[in-house]
Amino acid sequence: MTDTAPVRLRLCDHRRRLGWTAAGERLFRMLARPIRIGSTFLALPVLVLPIFLSFATAQPVHFPRGEVHRVLDTAFSAILDRHLEAAAAADLLLWSVRGLAAVDVTITVQAAGGVLHVMRGDQLVISVSLSSSVGSGSPGAQLPTLQGSTSLLTEIYAAAWDASPEIRAAGVEQLLQAGFEELFNHLDPFSRYVSSAEAELAYQRRIGPQDAGIRIAEDVAGRTVVVGLRSGSLATRAGIQIGDIILGINGRRTRDEPLIGIARRLEQLRGQPLNLQLLRGKIRLDVMIRPEPGEVIGAEFMVRDGHLWVQLPYFTAATTEQLMKGLMARIAAQPRLRGVVLDLRGNRGGILQQAVSVSDLFLSQGLIATSVGRHPDATRSWFASEPDVTGGRPLIVLVDGRTASAAEIAAATLSDRGRAVVVGSSTLGKGLVQVVIPLPNRAEILISWSRVLAPHSWPIQGLGVLPAICTSLGEEALRQELQQLGKGTLSTAPVLTRVRGLRAPVPLSEVSALRSTCPPAEGRDLDQVAVRFLLNNPVAYETAIKR
């Protein structure tokens, strides 16, 4: 038996993209009926469909000028006011218009003599003047103001919508997305436009994610494969294994879906069961992941060889409270614990304030971090105010090439302050802070508005955090490094001293040279080797912490 539902869905979706009307649908159904002439049935749609398609595409869906204008007004105003780098309204306009080509490759944009021409192939879509007094009320103005720019861009988008079937097929959301992507390409790599659906998911992540704990990748055959499982996660408890191929999620196939979309579906539990269709070897399985009511993924604790290991997968609104309660409870229950290992490998970050408050748990006084930006509210400093909840026990922070953002800030703070020894590889290097701006269409834009500086004033952006003990150069390099450490010499000390003397902006050549001393890599078994050496050799630990 063949399932025809996907075919019907694709056809309906195709009709909708073409601007199919209800009247057109009735006409199509009438023409689609075979006509009987004597004993012969004649199917006419094959002959008339091209004519009908031409008729359908002449009916563009209404372009929501008002809504688009309000979105652009809100977004441009926030970017001009708050972004880390200053820009002109006219620049935002020009960059956004060039994003049209990402939706319709036949569109080109030319600016000459103060006039902007938008072409589709050899056809003129619209020409607009960038000079005079557009939106400014001043006849001598040479470039459009904020209001002028957003009004012009709205008209350009409307004209492109009418002229391009590809843009109408993509929809308003994709049109805005393409414009903002091109705009932010000229500003920084982390500012971005977030659709309304993504904004809701991002909010859930900030308040405390409820995901399956699965890391996925695509194999050579294009299939979605489980390549990692978080210890104690919902997926682990459900019996999912590394190497399982995910064929579907809740009955929907994954075969033709982008990997990022599949990852988002695996994150989006929201208290509801998740039914995965898997292939394990030659056996097909259905596995149900059932989240506990109110369960929030957070810190995971484990005692090994008299030391407390803590894995933090995210920095959410609940992270500090969970970590503090977990540390205090386990130290009270086992007061002879000799040290703490904070595992931030794979932690992609989250809320800045949580990075600050997590760092504060291990410090009793002094500077935690500083942020600097163009907007007055973007510049501030944070200081430790709480007692060290671990009582000053030895602390090791594990990082890798996927450690990012808030996790990097915590690692940099604890390292700079001489409170922890960082072990692993260079981290991602995301040291810009984004402010979230809600938009009238329920989407959001994330604007990079400040740069985070470690306690010694070096910028995290681009550099990342370089570990005191590097494990990404291989087993032999680590063996020599630990051997030197046992003799009282930290081989990475010159590099770390060099990093602490840097100030923004750091030349790319300098960034590359420093990061190459310990290349970014995923967490590995050598991390455990280095940790055990440090925890079992107090002299080596003291050498590393006092660099």
Side-chain angles (χ1 to χ4, degrees):
M1 180 181 296
T2 302
D3 183 2
T4 59
V7 177
R8 290 199 301 271
L9 287 172
R10 284 197 295 271
L11 179 57
C12 291
D13 185 59
H14 185 58
R15 295 173 189 172
R16 186 166 54 254
R17 291 198 303 268
L18 290 172
W20 215 272
T21 62
E25 177 71 18
R26 288 193 297 271
L27 176 59
F28 178 80
R29 291 181 180 280
M30 178 186 73
L31 292 171
R33 295 191 189 102
I35 299 174
R36 183 169 182 173
I37 302 178
S39 59
T40 303
F41 285 90
L42 179 62
L44 290 180
V46 173
L47 302 175
V48 302
L49 186 57
I51 301 170
F52 185 73
L53 285 178
S54 175
F55 165 76
T57 55
Q59 306 289 327
V61 177
H62 172 69
F63 181 75
R65 268 186 175 81
E67 178 182 317
V68 169
H69 192 199
R70 288 190 295 273
V71 168
L72 295 175
D73 255 352
T74 304
F76 278 26
S77 176
I79 294 168
L80 294 172
D81 185 43
R82 301 193 186 195
H83 195 274
L84 190 61
E85 305 295 339
D91 290 332
L92 304 189
L93 165 64
L94 288 169
W95 295 335
S96 299
V97 172
R98 291 191 178 114
L100 289 169
V103 186
D104 184 343
V105 296
T106 67
I107 288 182
T108 56
V109 179
Q110 300 171 353
V115 178
L116 187 68
H117 303 284
V118 180
M119 307 289 295
R120 185 170 186 268
D122 58 358
Q123 299 296 313
L124 178 67
V125 174
I126 188 172
S127 289
V128 295
S129 173
L130 297 178
S131 59
S132 75
S133 58
V134 180
S136 67
S138 171
Q142 294 302 306
L143 292 172
T145 60
L146 168 63
Q147 288 294 325
S149 292
T150 55
S151 295
L152 283 177
L153 184 54
T154 302
E155 291 309 308
I156 292 170
Y157 279 172
W161 179 275
D162 289 342
S164 170
E166 286 81 4
I167 289 177
R168 294 196 298 276
V172 173
E173 190 74 59
Q174 188 59 43
L175 175 62
L176 289 169
Q177 181 95 45
F180 282 115
E181 282 182 1
E182 181 62 28
L183 185 159
F184 288 130
N185 280 343
H186 294 266
L187 292 176
D188 77 276
F190 301 115
S191 295
R192 64 191 184 96
Y193 174 84
V194 181
S195 69
S196 57
E198 289 179 305
E200 173 62 23
L201 181 55
Y203 173 74
Q204 295 297 330
R205 287 177 182 148
R206 291 194 291 269
I207 63 173
Q210 210 183 49
D211 72 359
I214 300 174
R215 190 152 53 90
I216 57 175
E218 194 173 273
D219 67 7
V220 293
R223 302 176 301 181
T224 303
V225 183
V226 177
V227 296
L229 293 165
R230 195 171 62 247
S231 174
S233 66
L234 297 173
T236 303
R237 301 201 304 254
I240 293 173
Q241 299 177 9
I242 292 176
D244 285 348
I245 295 169
I246 302 177
L247 302 175
I249 303 174
N250 290 338
R252 179 176 154 194
R253 293 196 323 160
T254 60
R255 179 72 184 183
D256 300 319
E257 186 175 359
L259 206 61
I260 185 64
I262 299 169
R264 286 172 182 153
R265 286 206 280 153
L266 291 172
E267 289 179 350
Q268 210 165 353
L269 285 176
R270 300 184 187 177
Q272 300 299 316
L274 203 63
N275 185 23
L276 302 187
Q277 292 76 53
L278 306 176
L279 181 63
R280 183 176 298 163
K282 295 183 179 180
I283 302 174
R284 289 178 178 258
L285 302 170
D286 277 278
V287 176
M288 185 71 73
I289 298 176
R290 300 181 185 277
E292 296 294 330
E295 180 180 12
V296 175
I297 307 301
E300 298 174 6
F301 300 86
M302 180 182 298
V303 176
R304 297 179 187 168
D305 303 323
H307 301 95
L308 180 59
W309 292 63
V310 185
Q311 184 180 29
L312 280 186
Y314 313 98
F315 279 83
T316 72
T319 295
T320 301
E321 183 179 1
Q322 289 180 343
L323 181 58
M324 180 179 65
K325 289 180 177 178
L327 287 170
M328 294 177 68
R330 284 156 179 83
I331 290 173
Q334 301 184 60
R336 298 174 70 88
L337 285 171
R338 301 194 304 274
V340 177
V341 179
L342 183 62
D343 190 350
L344 300 180
R345 292 174 300 178
N347 187 316
R348 307 299 285 178
I351 302 174
L352 170 62
Q353 188 58 47
Q354 290 294 308
V356 170
S357 54
V358 163
S359 301
D360 197 0
L361 293 178
F362 301 97
L363 299 168
S364 55
Q365 52 78 36
L367 180 65
I368 291 177
T370 301
S371 68
V372 292
R374 194 168 55 89
H375 192 281
D377 293 341
T379 300
R380 58 185 301 188
S381 296
W382 294 270
F383 294 87
S385 59
E386 301 293 335
D388 182 346
V389 297
T390 70
R393 287 173 171 80
L395 177 63
I396 294 174
V397 177
L398 284 174
V399 298
D400 67 4
R402 296 174 297 135
T403 304
S405 188
E408 292 178 284
I409 295 170
T413 296
L414 296 172
S415 174
D416 259 23
R417 292 293 312 280
R419 180 62 187 90
V421 177
V422 177
V423 173
S425 76
S426 295
T427 61
L428 183 69
K430 182 184 181 298
L432 301 183
V433 180
Q434 287 73 46
V435 61
V436 180
I437 307 296
L439 298 177
N441 62 344
R442 301 181 66 183
E444 296 173 345
I445 52 170
L446 274 60
I447 301 174
S448 294
W449 80 324
S450 66
R451 178 181 290 108
V452 178
L453 306 179
H456 282 285
S457 298
W458 55 272
I460 296 171
Q461 175 61 27
L463 278 170
V465 179
L466 273 66
I469 308 297
C470 179
T471 62
S472 64
L473 294 174
E475 186 174 353
E476 178 58 24
L478 178 62
R479 187 190 66 78
Q480 294 179 16
E481 191 175 354
L482 297 181
Q483 188 178 58
Q484 289 294 314
L485 190 61
K487 296 177 180 179
T489 300
L490 180 67
S491 59
T492 57
V495 172
L496 297 177
T497 299
R498 189 170 154 195
V499 167
R500 288 177 173 177
L502 294 173
R503 299 295 179 264
V506 181
L508 289 177
S509 58
E510 180 83 345
V511 170
S512 178
L514 288 168
R515 287 174 63 83
S516 67
T517 63
C518 185
E522 288 201 28
R524 52 191 58 203
D525 292 340
L526 290 179
D527 297 339
Q528 319 291 332
V529 173
V531 168
R532 285 195 296 270
F533 180 86
L534 288 168
L535 293 176
N536 293 326
N537 292 270
V539 174
Y541 177 85
E542 288 301 318
T543 299
I545 203 78
K546 291 178 180 178
R547 61 196 178 280

